[in-house]
Amino acid sequence: MDSLPLSNPPAPGKVRPRICLATTELAGFGPSSGLGSLVSSLAETLAEAGREVTVVLARDQPPEAIELARLVELYSRRGVRVTPLPEPSERCFAWPRSSSRAYKTYRWLREHATEFDRVLFCDRGGLGYYALLAKHQGLAFEQLPLGVAIHSPTLRRTLDNAELVEDYEILIADFLERESARLADGVVATSGALLRALQADGWSFPEACHVLPPPFPASLVALRRQDRETLTPEEIVLFGPLESRKRLRLLCDALERLEPSPHGNLRIVFLGPSGRIESEPGRDYLARRAARWPFAWEWLDRMERTEALGYLGKGKRLAIVSSTAQGVPFSAWECAFLGIPFLYFGARGIAEDLPEAERERLVAANPNALAARIRDAWLRGISVPQPPVDPFAVRDEWARWLEGLSSRDGSDQNPERADLPRVTVCLVHHDRPALLSQALDSLRAQDYPNFEVVLVDDGSATQEAAAFLAQIEPEFAKRDWRIIRQPNLYLGAARNRAAREAKGEFLLFMDDDNLAEPHEISTFVRVARHTGAAILTATQRDFEGKERFGGEGRNHYIFAPLGPSLSLGVVFNVFGDANAFVRRDAFEAIGGFREEHGVAFEDWEFFAKAALAGLQLEVVPEPLFWYRRSAEGMFSTSSHFASWLAATSPYIAHLTPRLAESLLLLQGNFRQTDVLRREGETARRERDRVQTLLDQKEAEVHQKEVELHQKKEELREARDELARIQRSRIWHLGLRLRRWEWKLRSIRKALFRG
């Protein structure tokens, strides 16, 4: 079968529904797991259903240009447009890597939103987080439904693989994925057991939450096994990566319990890439275990998806599929659909997802049980599975689900309010009048009319600062703004003083070296009223220097905070900058900022208190202010360790004394590790710099050697040419002529002397 007929093809002249799939993996584009296979199948299936499909691929390392062109053309022939996620025109930096991919995806989708009718984000890496956040806040995508496909979340995948959480990227990806699912207009998964397990872990899903079988396109339909007779296996193929998550240890235990096959020599094949098992590369673990096996074995790791499935479908092969994860892995669906005889080893919560006739293929996670089932297959044979689903029906289900995906109700939390709430800008200053002047200029340019400025001068000591404050006092009085002078009590005390003097319902905290975008206050007010959030932080444009922002060709970048991740907030300020928008009653309930001279991170501590208290804190994904980076900032004069301890104090207050001690120990170890990591990065950079210099010198020496070799070759060729000439008859005739010439000259001289 070359293709499936279109279901509900668009009427002549009618525009095809336009679907965008956003993913970190796609079959063929480098190493990929079952997620890449699922996305590839879904894209092709939707294209066959008459949809216009675009896949935006957010990989860290895209293929080389030639290979990329080949893969893009391959998918294009199947009706799928593949677009590797490009770098945005404005440089973006969202710490760390997972956040950066999600933020770049959001910026790309903002530019291309009108090109799509539906967008489906894959869960891995939380690519949809910032886009879904912007929609939730009423900033973008109001009429564009955004869904999330749940397949294999990062943290659960890590724990299923018996790995320690050693990289904070895992926790950040977990936060992005959870929030994407919570904010989505709809969620779809191929396993109900997986959804229930995630809900037990605290995940929250929208009402539009569905379970659908995985789709199978024409390119896989063509691989269906035609022979439906019972098969006696001659080769056992363990289908999947070499890693703990695929129960590699138990699989090897089962193989060691096998007796010789009654039908001749047994052959074992491991079909899949190398992962890790207890910090050891899977290939090394396999080689070590296989050294004791009496039968032949082989590891095939370079087959692409279609090639691997074609290999399994030929000959008398029995596939062993295994996983510690909840639900049916995509590889098991592929085997069942294509008629590849298989056993599913160590099943967890998948019986409901398989047809009753195929549940006999389930084997308990016990090596003795698997060895017995393989022996039984040798003696009695094993049946070829029947397709568990009708690909036509499944294709239609996916198409209908996407067509039925609609935007949530995005109405304001305060629809009855038509007034513009008063906002107080709490601006703090210390001896930087030139920067303060720029900050005030940015506030004068605001497009929101109902705000005031309370400027707290925190003990400025220079004549320039005093003169500037005196200069702006008349304007402040005219605008009903205020200037408050106080001794130098540090930043937390200055912000609290401004808040006490405020008359607004909302407080916008601002430092004198930052600059507001013209729409900053109006956007904060809009989002606060739309969501009911108590605290809003924002994406920012970071820059350096003392001149005004916005110059042509300025070397700045956009920085997007992560948001209210309590798991990461204990070690990093992932909440956002102090340039935050806070509802006044929430500020008073929290108790304001810490007032301790010489201790920084009072904003981090404030946000952590709010998040732990259950207050709604969100990040606005649009850049609303310019953040001036400087090596002379307050943190450079603060006690680092005292500041970190202060930031941790809200967490300690929520724990029992003994658990609090454990947290302090973990944070101390983390900080020491972080210092060592930074020192290691510095050493690596220095090593790379020195290596670059050495490489340059080696290149120069090599060039000199090449030039010297060329000169030697030229000299040798010249000598050879000279020798050849000297051996020629003309050369010898010339010598005789020169001798006669010398003799004639001698005779001439003798005659002249005579």
Side-chain angles (χ1 to χ4, degrees), residues 446 508 510 516-525 579 624-625:
Q446 291 299 298
L508 172 58
M510 183 174 178
E517 292 282 7
H519 56 281
E520 180 182 26
I521 298 178
S522 60
T523 302
F524 271 138
V525 170
N579 198 120
L624 297 183
F625 68 98

Side-chain angles (χ1 to χ4, degrees), residues 651-652 654-666:
Y651 290 87
I652 294 174
H654 275 69
L655 300 174
T656 64
R658 302 289 76 81
L659 288 177
E661 292 171 358
S662 299
L663 178 60
L664 290 172
L665 174 63
L666 291 173

Side-chain angles (χ1 to χ4, degrees), residues 12 73 81 181 209 215 220 247 253 270 273 308 401 465 470 501 526 545 581 620 643 647 709 717 743:
E73 173 61 24
R81 179 166 66 104
C209 187
L220 290 184
R247 301 188 186 275
D253 290 343
F270 293 84
W401 181 81
E501 299 288 338
R526 175 184 173 188
F581 193 77
V620 177
S643 300
H709 179 72
E717 292 175 358
K743 289 181 179 180

